[in-house]
Amino acid sequence: MIKVAIVDDHKILTEGLQGLIAESGIATVAGVAHSAAACRLSIGFWKPDVVLLDVGLPDGSGIDLCKELKTQFPGMKILALTTHNEYTVVRQMLDNGASGYLIKNAMADEVLAGIQAVAAGKTFLCHEIDLLMKRPQEKNIWLSQRERELLRLVTEGLTNAEIAEKIFLSPETIKGYRKNLLLKLGARNTAVLVKMALEQKLI
Amino acid sequence: MIKVAIVDDHKILTEGLQGLIAESGIATVAGVAHSAAACRLSIGFWKPDVVLLDVGLPDGSGIDLCKELKTQFPGMKILALTTHNEYTVVRQMLDNGASGYLIKNAMADEVLAGIQAVAAGKTFLCHEIDLLMKRPQEKNIWLSQRERELLRLVTEGLTNAEIAEKIFLSPETIKGYRKNLLLKLGARNTAVLVKMALEQKLI
DNA sequence: GCAAACACCCCCCTAAAGGGGGTTTTTATC
DNA sequence: GATAAAAACCCCCTTTAGGGGGGTGTTTGC
């Protein structure tokens, strides 16, 4: 029997999930955590085979927690379960060691299929995410670390001069990055840049 | 017995909810719709007393659907059930006739309490939203229709001249609105303005 | 009846962003 | 060891945004 832990702050969803998993007979729920902190405290005791992990936790990012868990328990499989269907989020989760990715509007039976697949060492993407990851790559934007950092500072409203001072670079360099970001995202100005950054969760 | 309909595209959540409501004994689930279109088709047959309505539907806004349902079926009670905890969203839902508002990380028993309360003609806000609505009003930003329209055009990257042309106003008027928006939201420039607009769902 | 909020318009001036063109070094990846 | 991508840097010039003023009339709610 597969041992599953659920980490998600949506209590209504976790209650439903517990029932769903228990009834299926393929797995048991070893524990439920509603925050990253609660997860860190208990996960060592639960020793689950599979962790159903949300991305948007109240006290931190599931993306970071995923990396943390995989470092501490390399054998533990992470199955992301979130509302986010943005390329950047999925890619970061997979880069950080997640074995699978489900979105919350997937069918209930995809959850069970996902649990079984990742427990068996396979990777599992729900249908919609599978399509997303297979799109022509020019539609799935991927930024370098530096570009992400810059984009974050731009969205916070810093001017080129301020950014330059903050990260010890020339204002002209910042300008170059901004131009490049506009080009890369196909944005005509800062307003659209910020919009895309937030909508596509690029930062 | 209270008759409830669920309109939400998160299938995992709706499955869980159905069980939860059925087990409680206080209500029955008359039907489930995973989209606004499906809801429009079936709601007349179901004739529920209470509709659990999500804001973020795949084919439209729950805010608009709420207004629509209240116009067509004034006696039907709408109980919003969403992830959004932004003042603007809550206020728009309530203005459009919703009797209650739950966020998805509320406790499961709040759902049942909410259903009973709105069915009895009362209004019901879950704890977190109740706190939000009672905050000092300067923290809860509310924009006029015109301001929202302008903000939307700004986030789409239009320049003052383009906006002026589009909505037949003087570019100087647009400039005035922008200045006022910056002041009202406490944003130092367009980047922050766009960020706040999206984060607080002002548009 | 009167204040407050909304909608509308104009001036001047400076700061910042955007569009064009470049260069070099480092660091992965094949 | 070649190739490519990321990272850092620079100049010129034009357009747009932002900061500071000023003002009008019209709804809307108490």
Side-chain angles (χ1 to χ4, degrees):
Chain A
M1 196 83 124
I2 305 164
K3 263 168 75 182
V4 174
I6 304 173
V7 183
D8 196 318
D9 66 319
H10 291 163
K11 299 172 191 78
I12 299 165
L13 184 109
T14 58
E15 296 231 359
L17 260 181
Q18 282 183 78
L20 204 88
I21 293 169
E23 279 169 36
S24 76
I26 65 147
T28 55
V29 179
V32 177
H34 295 304
S35 66
C39 170
R40 285 193 196 94
L41 268 177
S42 307
I43 201 86
F45 297 102
W46 295 338
K47 296 202 184 301
D49 304 304
V50 176
V51 182
L52 284 175
L53 180 60
D54 190 14
V55 168
L57 296 169
D59 57 344
S61 162
I63 296 172
D64 300 331
L65 184 58
C66 179
K67 193 174 209 165
E68 215 181 299
L69 291 176
K70 284 304 281 189
T71 309
Q72 243 193 304
F73 309 98
M76 199 182 276
K77 305 294 180 185
I78 312 284
L79 180 56
L81 174 64
T82 111
T83 52
H84 296 287
N85 62 348
E86 298 91 4
Y87 176 79
T88 310
V89 177
V90 181
R91 177 150 170 190
Q92 281 185 93
M93 278 306 271
L94 297 178
D95 283 356
N96 283 358
S99 304
Y101 200 105
L102 301 170
I103 43 174
K104 285 187 180 170
N105 62 4
M107 303 299 289
D109 52 16
E110 285 197 273
V111 180
L112 303 176
I115 291 172
Q116 287 187 301
V118 303
K122 286 177 252 178
T123 65
F124 185 91
L125 301 179
C126 70
H127 182 63
E128 190 180 324
I129 297 299
D130 190 44
L131 288 178
L132 172 75
M133 299 308 280
K134 279 185 189 149
R135 282 196 308 188
Q137 71 274 46
E138 71 266 16
K139 297 201 78 182
N140 288 333
I141 294 158
W142 186 244
L143 302 179
S144 71
Q145 275 235 290
R146 203 52 155 173
E147 285 174 324
R148 259 202 293 276
E149 188 184 5
L150 245 111
L151 188 50
R152 196 175 45 78
L153 294 169
V154 169
T155 62
E156 282 168 9
L158 301 200
T159 64
N160 292 336
E162 288 166 339
I163 296 174
E165 208 184 340
K166 188 157 198 164
I167 60 176
F168 309 109
L169 289 179
S170 149
E172 284 299 327
T173 304
I174 309 300
K175 226 172 145 179
Y177 272 104
R178 269 179 104 132
K179 271 196 287 194
N180 211 259
L181 280 168
L182 289 173
L183 190 71
K184 210 162 172 176
L185 304 202
R188 64 186 304 217
N189 55 32
T190 300
V192 179
L193 196 66
V194 171
K195 194 185 174 206
M196 293 180 75
L198 296 176
E199 281 181 350
Q200 301 185 34
K201 303 275 181 326
L202 298 175
I203 45 165
Chain B
M1 196 81 124
I2 305 164
K3 263 168 72 183
V4 175
I6 303 173
V7 183
D8 196 317
D9 66 320
H10 290 165
K11 300 174 192 77
I12 300 165
L13 184 108
T14 58
E15 296 233 359
L17 260 182
Q18 282 182 77
L20 203 88
I21 292 169
E23 281 169 34
S24 77
I26 64 147
T28 54
V29 179
V32 177
H34 295 304
S35 67
C39 169
R40 285 193 196 93
L41 268 177
S42 307
I43 201 85
F45 296 102
W46 296 338
K47 296 201 185 302
D49 304 304
V50 176
V51 182
L52 284 175
L53 179 60
D54 191 13
V55 168
L57 296 170
D59 58 345
S61 161
I63 297 172
D64 300 332
L65 183 58
C66 178
K67 194 174 207 165
E68 215 181 299
L69 291 176
K70 284 304 281 189
T71 309
Q72 243 193 304
F73 309 99
M76 198 181 278
K77 304 295 178 183
I78 311 284
L79 180 56
L81 174 63
T82 111
T83 52
H84 296 288
N85 62 348
E86 297 90 3
Y87 176 79
T88 311
V89 177
V90 181
R91 177 149 171 191
Q92 281 184 93
M93 279 305 273
L94 297 178
D95 283 356
N96 282 359
S99 304
Y101 199 105
L102 301 170
I103 44 175
K104 285 187 183 171
N105 62 4
M107 303 298 288
D109 53 16
E110 284 198 274
V111 180
L112 303 175
I115 292 172
Q116 287 186 301
V118 304
K122 286 177 251 179
T123 66
F124 186 90
L125 302 178
C126 69
H127 183 62
E128 190 180 323
I129 297 300
D130 190 44
L131 287 179
L132 172 75
M133 300 307 280
K134 278 185 189 150
R135 283 197 306 188
Q137 71 273 47
E138 71 265 19
K139 298 202 78 182
N140 288 333
I141 295 157
W142 186 246
L143 302 179
S144 71
Q145 276 235 292
R146 204 52 156 175
E147 284 173 324
R148 259 202 293 276
E149 186 182 6
L150 246 111
L151 188 51
R152 195 174 46 76
L153 294 169
V154 169
T155 62
E156 280 167 10
L158 303 199
T159 65
N160 292 334
E162 288 166 340
I163 296 174
E165 208 185 338
K166 189 156 198 166
I167 60 176
F168 309 109
L169 290 179
S170 150
E172 283 299 327
T173 304
I174 309 300
K175 224 172 147 181
Y177 273 104
R178 268 178 104 134
K179 273 196 286 192
N180 210 259
L181 281 168
L182 290 173
L183 189 71
K184 210 162 172 176
L185 304 202
R188 64 186 305 218
N189 55 33
T190 301
V192 179
L193 196 66
V194 172
K195 194 185 174 206
M196 293 181 74
L198 295 176
E199 282 181 349
Q200 301 184 36
K201 303 277 183 321
L202 298 174
I203 47 167

